Amino acid sequence: MSTASGNDTLAERISGAQGLNVISPTWFFVTDDKGNISSFASAAYVQQAHGAGLEVWGLIDNFTNQIDDKAFMSNTEARTNMITQLISAAKDCGMDGINLDFESIKEDEAIHYTQLVRELSIACRKNGLVFSVDDPVPTFSSHYNRRAQGQVADYVIMMGYDEHFSGSDTAGSNASLSFVETGIQDTLKEVPANKLISAMPFYTRLWIESYENGSLECQTLSMTDANAYAKDKQMEIYWDAASGQNVAELDTEENLQKMWLEDEQSLTEKLKLIDTYQLAGGAFWKLGFEDKSVWSLIAQHI
């Protein structure tokens, strides 16, 4: 959510969803290196979610505002300030858990981040809140102390996407099957399977490589928009066993356009990994980007 008005879209977002039992709205944002936060938390939203059979784990991030992560996380008073505000907001609106989505943690910040995780886990446990932590795949974040996370958090959520992203030098899949599986295997070296949740994308990227100057353009598309684009452009679609995905391709005089699609076939392969490795469950980013047809598939596996 980028505004509080996003709270009014819950019914629309969960319409047709099957197998969903937790929703994690992006409600909290660290605003400065003193640990102050802003909030979109809503008791009415929580009540509506509970009425639909959903738990609410409010998400807090560190990237909506430009802050000095090291200055904030290395300061005991700042960490305590953030945690106190967060727990108070959680109790006021009646939510069930807190999801920590701190990203781009540098190596020299990792020790302070781990301390924040430990302290927040204690506060959540004392107040009866489920505590979950979001991590990139270990390939991108080997300096994270996942072993400590696996000890103190209720769940560790591996974000199995952004294999190739807007800053990548070459076009490629956002979440190939081998990328996701390797991420799971590496995370399981430090985190128990019954605490690990595999997060999968409801989005892909359109890559456009210019033949004139070799420039590479990247656009992020929802599942629905990607399918519509492929249909409108009459792109050739073929199954790529290496990525475990259908690839849409269009070769023109000006450029080469490609998308590694997220669809029922690709999600089926990723969902199978939950059973293969006996994981705690699956998660998806983000609600509203999916094709509604995938929900019956998700309900079969989770």
Side-chain angles (χ1 to χ4, degrees), residues 262-276:
E262 292 298 343
D263 53 24
E264 290 187 44
Q265 283 182 275
S266 67
L267 279 179
T268 295
E269 298 306 311
K270 293 180 179 69
L271 285 164
K272 287 178 181 177
L273 297 176
I274 296 173
D275 292 329
T276 299

Side-chain angles (χ1 to χ4, degrees), residues 235-241 245-249 258 260-261:
M235 300 177 79
E236 176 190 1
I237 299 177
Y238 58 89
W239 178 256
D240 176 38
Q245 292 174 283
N246 283 303
V247 177
E249 186 171 319
K258 294 184 75 171
W260 281 259
L261 297 171

Side-chain angles (χ1 to χ4, degrees), residues 94-123:
M95 68 193 200
D96 308 280
I98 291 172
N99 176 248
L100 184 65
D101 187 19
F102 275 29
E103 300 189 14
S104 301
I105 302 298
K106 300 179 178 65
E107 288 193 36
D108 65 342
E109 299 166 348
I111 188 171
H112 307 299
Y113 176 58
T114 299
Q115 185 60 24
L116 174 64
V117 169
R118 290 192 177 107
E119 292 171 358
L120 184 52
S121 74
I122 293 170

Side-chain angles (χ1 to χ4, degrees), residues 52 146 202 208 237 271 273 276-277 285-286:
R146 287 177 179 77
F202 277 157
I208 303 177
I237 299 177
L271 285 164
L273 297 176
T276 299
Y277 293 96
W285 177 266
K286 68 177 180 173

Side-chain angles (χ1 to χ4, degrees), residues 173-192:
S173 171
N174 177 44
S176 68
L177 186 61
S178 61
F179 174 81
V180 175
E181 185 165 21
T182 298
I184 290 171
Q185 292 172 340
D186 289 345
T187 303
L188 285 173
K189 295 174 183 177
E190 298 180 281
V191 178

Side-chain angles (χ1 to χ4, degrees), residues 125-281:
R125 194 156 49 248
K126 286 182 177 178
N127 289 276
L129 296 167
V130 177
F131 176 51
S132 59
V133 183
D134 299 338
D135 286 335
V137 298
T139 301
F140 295 158
S141 55
S142 60
H143 54 285
Y144 285 31
N145 189 343
R146 287 177 179 77
R147 191 171 303 280
Q149 291 181 16
Q151 291 170 344
V152 302
D154 294 297
Y155 297 104
V156 174
I157 301 173
M158 188 202 78
M159 300 181 290
Y161 34 81
D162 289 343
E163 178 180 4
H164 293 83
F165 49 93
S166 58
S168 296
D169 295 330
T170 59
S173 171
N174 177 44
S176 68
L177 186 61
S178 61
F179 174 81
V180 175
E181 185 165 21
T182 298
I184 290 171
Q185 292 172 340
D186 289 345
T187 303
L188 285 173
K189 295 174 183 177
E190 298 180 281
V191 178
N194 64 357
K195 286 192 173 186
L196 180 58
I197 293 174
S198 175
M200 293 155 272
F202 277 157
Y203 67 96
T204 189
R205 290 187 168 89
L206 167 66
W207 299 90
I208 303 177
E209 184 175 1
S210 170
Y211 287 137
E212 181 178 355
N213 57 22
S215 64
L216 188 63
E217 178 186 348
C218 176
Q219 301 175 26
T220 301
L221 299 177
S222 68
M223 293 175 70
T224 304
D225 289 344
N227 289 334
Y229 187 91
K231 183 177 181 181
D232 179 64
K233 297 294 184 179
Q234 297 183 321
M235 300 177 79
E236 176 190 1
I237 299 177
Y238 58 89
W239 178 256
D240 176 38
S243 65
Q245 292 174 283
N246 283 303
V247 177
E249 186 171 319
L250 176 64
D251 197 357
T252 73
E253 292 183 0
E254 294 81 20
N255 55 52
L256 176 64
Q257 303 181 29
K258 294 184 75 171
M259 292 186 290
W260 281 259
L261 297 171
E262 292 298 343
D263 53 24
E264 290 187 44
Q265 283 182 275
S266 67
L267 279 179
T268 295
E269 298 306 311
K270 293 180 179 69
L271 285 164
K272 287 178 181 177
L273 297 176
I274 296 173
D275 292 329
T276 299
Y277 293 96
Q278 295 293 290
L279 305 183

